[in-house]
Amino acid sequence: MELIQNTADLSAYLAADDVIDHHHPLVRETAARLAKDVVDSYAYARAAFEFVRDVIPHSQDSGDLRVTWRASDVLERRTGICYAKAHALAALLRAEDIPTAFCYQKFDEVHGLVAVRFDGAWHRQDPRGNKPGVDAQFSLDGERLAFTPDPEFDELDYPVLYAEPHPVVLSVLKAAPDRPHLWKTLPAAL
């Protein structure tokens, strides 16, 4: 599948905003802590990915009822669904000048992940969190995502790489008072 940037301006994939708030002190502190033990940007990207995947539980897996959407809140509260975890990873990567995009897959609901840009190419990564039957790994040499869409069931990979979280995803997250409500309102398609 050919991944398609929704904007040609690569600097848009480094930007901060109220969701990907990589200027926030907690994001900066976390990024600095992860960066001090690595030798280059590749190793940093892997460390940031593994931190979000392993240290911040997916709220459905952990039973946490809270809904997070802002990157700094995900890091502070240590919880989030796939979209929120993607926001946190993007903020950590962008804090270290690694272009990061948002991308999505369609299953029963839309699933969120990120793509990082290295060596002139985009590489999708899924920080959702591993559990029995799910083994997502950081990889720049072939995808190791949590899930693989099956076209027979109308599942698919959306090819668009967004510089900002998709507005449909963000509006659902912001409107949800808790995870049970969020689960009823997750988008089925983009």
Side-chain angles (χ1 to χ4, degrees):
M1 173 183 66
E2 181 182 346
L3 298 173
I4 304 162
Q5 292 178 208
N6 78 323
T7 178
D9 181 6
L10 199 55
S11 69
Y13 297 94
L14 292 168
D17 58 25
D18 64 328
V19 180
I20 312 307
D21 57 344
H22 63 73
H23 55 277
H24 189 280
L26 180 57
V27 177
R28 289 291 182 187
E29 290 166 16
T30 305
R33 187 175 69 251
L34 293 169
K36 76 177 181 150
D37 295 326
V38 298
V39 297
D40 59 23
S41 59
Y42 299 101
Y44 174 81
R46 178 183 302 279
F49 169 84
E50 290 174 352
F51 174 81
V52 172
R53 183 195 64 193
D54 299 342
V55 175
I56 301 170
H58 188 286
S59 58
Q60 176 70 16
D61 296 348
S62 68
D64 196 319
L65 300 180
R66 297 173 295 168
V67 175
T68 54
W69 53 269
R70 182 178 289 115
S72 58
D73 291 341
V74 174
L75 294 176
E76 178 183 350
R77 296 178 186 165
R78 294 277 203 263
T79 191
I81 67 165
C82 60
Y83 310 132
K85 291 180 63 141
H87 299 169
L89 180 55
L92 290 172
L93 294 170
R94 289 180 180 188
E96 292 295 314
D97 296 320
I98 298 171
T100 308
F102 300 96
C103 41
Y104 302 92
Q105 298 175 308
K106 178 191 176 295
F107 298 99
D108 288 336
E109 294 91 19
V110 174
H111 176 61
L113 35 130
V114 301
V116 296
R117 188 164 177 90
F118 280 112
D119 299 327
W122 289 100
H123 307 273
R124 294 189 310 164
Q125 311 295 327
D126 191 343
R128 182 229 177 268
N130 290 338
K131 64 179 186 175
V134 175
D135 184 28
Q137 300 294 323
F138 183 84
S139 177
L140 300 178
D141 182 29
E143 293 185 336
R144 300 277 313 273
L145 305 177
F147 309 109
T148 303
D150 185 342
E152 189 173 309
F153 295 103
D154 292 325
E155 299 173 348
L156 60 92
D157 286 306
Y158 289 106
V160 178
L161 300 173
Y162 296 91
E164 300 172 345
H166 195 283
V168 169
V169 166
L170 199 53
S171 67
V172 167
L173 285 171
K174 287 182 172 182
D178 57 32
R179 190 179 39 77
H181 180 271
L182 176 63
W183 238 240
K184 296 176 191 169
T185 60
L186 288 173
L190 296 180

